[in-house]
């Protein structure tokens, strides 16, 4: 299994549960995108199904471990997303319930369902699953991953063991990427943008779309710094067309604004955004109050995107808000 950097508290908790026989039938892993939630979900799955788990994790040698490593285990179900918003439908939940009462056919006698990237999870779907999560068959286990616990109803949260994941140090991120033979100069660019977030660093190196989103975010920051309303509107209106793009860019821009506000108070503060130079310049331009107002405008734009409002309308409104605040 791929080495997991950081998150040792989460990993040790999962190992202790399995080795002590106090396994969580419902586990919720939440944290920043790229912080290792899916990898840890796979780790817990392998632990649950391993025929001889150890204090160091899955044995890696048994039949179940080999199938888990290859992603071919017949009793691991990756629940499919559905709908425009990429949630899970009530019908999907009912299919999971029906399947959960079919006993597994493996040496561990366990079956695992993974609900990855839970976002816009319909309350009706959650309520449909609630009874199963409350009283699961002894052999059934459910793993949910999400960026925030806020995606879930309190009734679901109360029935899950909830563990938060965290990013690593930039050094650990660099070491992880080095194991995959990326060029040192490319690794530096990725870590400069995403610091200790190994998942996002790796995505940056592999995905041209993410690199374009980073470049657009930097262009937006430059337009704000120059107080160039025309350029800001042009970048937002012409460069952001897909719903996923606007989500990513809003998230990265919000981190830059956060960095600017923090630098206003402490010039040596640790930064989390993708553009250190831009954050420094923004900190000289914006007061803390202005940074807070821009943050609120970004949050408003995010809510509009999640509510399926037209992207051109969202970007036009955001441009108007930022221009008013910085003008």
């Amino acid at each position: 299994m791929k080495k997991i950097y950081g998150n040792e508290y989460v990993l040790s908790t999962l190992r202790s549960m399995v080795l002590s026989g106090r396994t969580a039938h419902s586990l919720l892993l939440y944290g920043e995108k790229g912080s290792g939630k899916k990898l840890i979900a796979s780790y817990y799955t392998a632990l649950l199904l391993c025929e001889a788990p150890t204090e160091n994790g899955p044995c890696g040698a048994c039949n179940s471990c080999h199938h888990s490593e290859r992603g071919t285990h017949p009793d691991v179900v990756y629940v499919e997303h559905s709908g425009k918003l990429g949630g899970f439908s009530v019908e999907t939940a009912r299919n999971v319930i029906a399947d959960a009462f079919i006993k597994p056919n493996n040496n561990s006698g366990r079956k695992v369902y993974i609900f990855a990237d839970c976002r816009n999870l319909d309350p009706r779907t959650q309520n449909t699953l609630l009874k199963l999560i409350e009283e699961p068959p002894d052999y059934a286990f459910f793993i949910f991953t999400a960026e925030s616990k806020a995606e879930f109803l309190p009734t679901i949260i109360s029935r899950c063991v909830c563990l938060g994941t965290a990013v690593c140090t930039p050094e650990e991120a660099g070491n992880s990427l080095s194991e995959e033979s990326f060029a040192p100069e490319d690794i530096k660019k990725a870590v400069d943008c995403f610091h200790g977030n190994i998942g996002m660093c790796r995505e940056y190196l592999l995905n041209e779309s993410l690199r374009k989103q980073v470049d657009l975010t930097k262009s937006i920051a430059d337009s704000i710094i120059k107080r160039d309303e025309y350029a800001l509107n042009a970048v937002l209106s012409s460069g952001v067309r897909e719903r996923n793009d606007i989500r990513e860019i809003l998230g990265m821009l919000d981190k830059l604004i956060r960095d600017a506000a923090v630098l206003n108070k402490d010039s040596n503060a640790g930064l989390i955004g993708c553009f250190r130079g831009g954050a420094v310049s923004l900190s000289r331009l914006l007061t803390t109050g202005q940074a807070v107002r821009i943050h609120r405008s970004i949050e408003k734009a995010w809510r509009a995107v999640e509510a399926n409002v037209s992207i051109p309308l969202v970007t036009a409104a955001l441009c108007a808000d930022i221009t008013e605040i910085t003008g």
Side-chain angles (χ1 to χ4, degrees):
M1 174 171 283
K2 182 177 172 63
K3 181 178 178 180
I4 301 175
Y5 284 84
N7 287 300
E8 183 51 41
Y9 171 76
V10 175
L11 298 176
S12 63
T13 299
L14 297 177
R15 288 194 297 269
S16 296
M17 287 195 300
V18 171
L19 292 174
S20 67
R22 299 175 181 174
T23 48
H25 279 267
S26 297
L27 173 69
L28 168 55
L29 296 168
Y30 63 95
E32 181 179 328
K33 180 180 178 181
S35 60
K37 299 183 296 297
K38 291 178 188 174
L39 195 56
I40 294 171
S42 296
Y43 179 86
Y44 186 50
T45 298
L47 267 174
L48 289 170
L49 298 173
C50 180
E51 296 168 26
T54 72
E55 291 183 359
N56 296 317
C59 73
C62 69
N63 219 27
S64 287
C65 280
H66 289 315
H67 281 301
S68 295
E69 180 70 21
R70 292 193 294 265
T72 58
H73 201 293
D75 290 311
V76 178
V77 179
Y78 289 88
V79 183
E80 292 187 4
H81 292 262
S82 58
K84 290 182 179 180
L85 298 179
F88 299 97
S89 68
V90 171
E91 181 182 1
T92 296
R94 288 172 178 157
N95 290 337
V96 168
I97 293 168
D99 189 76
F101 287 96
I102 300 174
K103 291 185 176 182
N105 184 22
N106 61 66
N107 290 338
S108 69
R110 288 172 172 168
K111 200 170 190 177
V112 182
Y113 296 85
I114 300 174
F115 293 78
D117 296 325
C118 292
R119 177 188 287 155
N120 299 308
L121 196 52
D122 192 316
R124 293 171 298 176
T125 300
Q126 296 187 59
N127 284 322
T128 301
L129 288 170
L130 183 58
K131 184 66 174 178
L132 178 65
I133 292 172
E134 282 181 327
E135 300 176 9
D138 289 341
Y139 51 79
F141 294 81
F142 307 92
I143 303 174
F144 302 88
T145 73
E147 292 187 36
S148 169
K149 287 196 293 185
E151 298 287 350
F152 297 87
L153 296 173
T155 47
I156 295 289
I157 293 172
S158 68
R159 287 156 178 81
C160 293
V161 169
C162 300
L163 297 173
T165 58
V167 298
C168 304
T169 65
E171 291 75 21
E172 287 174 322
N175 291 337
S176 175
L177 297 168
S178 295
E179 293 174 1
E180 299 186 56
S181 302
F182 291 113
E185 59 271 21
D186 292 335
I187 291 174
K188 184 179 185 309
K189 289 178 184 176
V191 174
D192 283 346
C193 284
F194 294 105
H195 315 285
N197 188 319
I198 296 174
M200 291 302 293
C201 285
R202 188 173 186 277
E203 185 75 5
Y204 177 85
L205 293 170
L206 295 175
N207 190 335
E208 184 181 0
S209 177
L210 179 56
R211 292 195 293 275
K212 288 181 178 178
Q213 290 165 0
V214 169
D215 289 342
L216 278 169
T217 303
K218 290 181 177 180
S219 295
I220 292 168
D222 282 335
S223 299
I224 296 172
I225 293 162
K226 295 173 183 175
R227 289 190 170 94
D228 189 335
E229 181 181 357
Y230 176 80
L232 178 60
N233 191 50
V235 172
L236 282 169
S237 62
S238 64
V240 185
R241 299 183 183 277
E242 300 296 329
R243 204 159 292 278
N244 185 60
D245 287 340
I246 187 67
R247 285 192 188 104
E248 295 292 345
I249 290 169
L250 287 174
M252 288 189 281
L253 180 61
D254 198 35
K255 288 180 179 179
L256 281 181
I257 298 301
R258 172 268 180 200
D259 284 350
V262 168
L263 288 171
N264 264 329
K265 301 294 183 182
D266 179 4
S267 60
N268 296 314
L271 305 184
I272 62 174
C274 66
F275 186 18
R276 169 175 281 275
V280 171
S281 295
L282 284 167
S283 71
R284 296 170 182 152
L285 170 70
L286 302 174
T287 65
T288 301
Q290 287 174 313
V292 169
R293 290 173 63 194
I294 293 176
H295 162 70
R296 289 173 179 163
S297 293
I298 293 170
E299 279 194 329
K300 182 174 71 174
W302 179 275
R303 288 194 297 271
V305 171
E306 295 297 284
N308 218 23
V309 174
S310 162
I311 291 176
L313 288 177
V314 172
T315 56
L318 179 59
C319 179
D321 284 351
I322 292 174
T323 300
E324 180 186 355
I325 293 166
T326 60

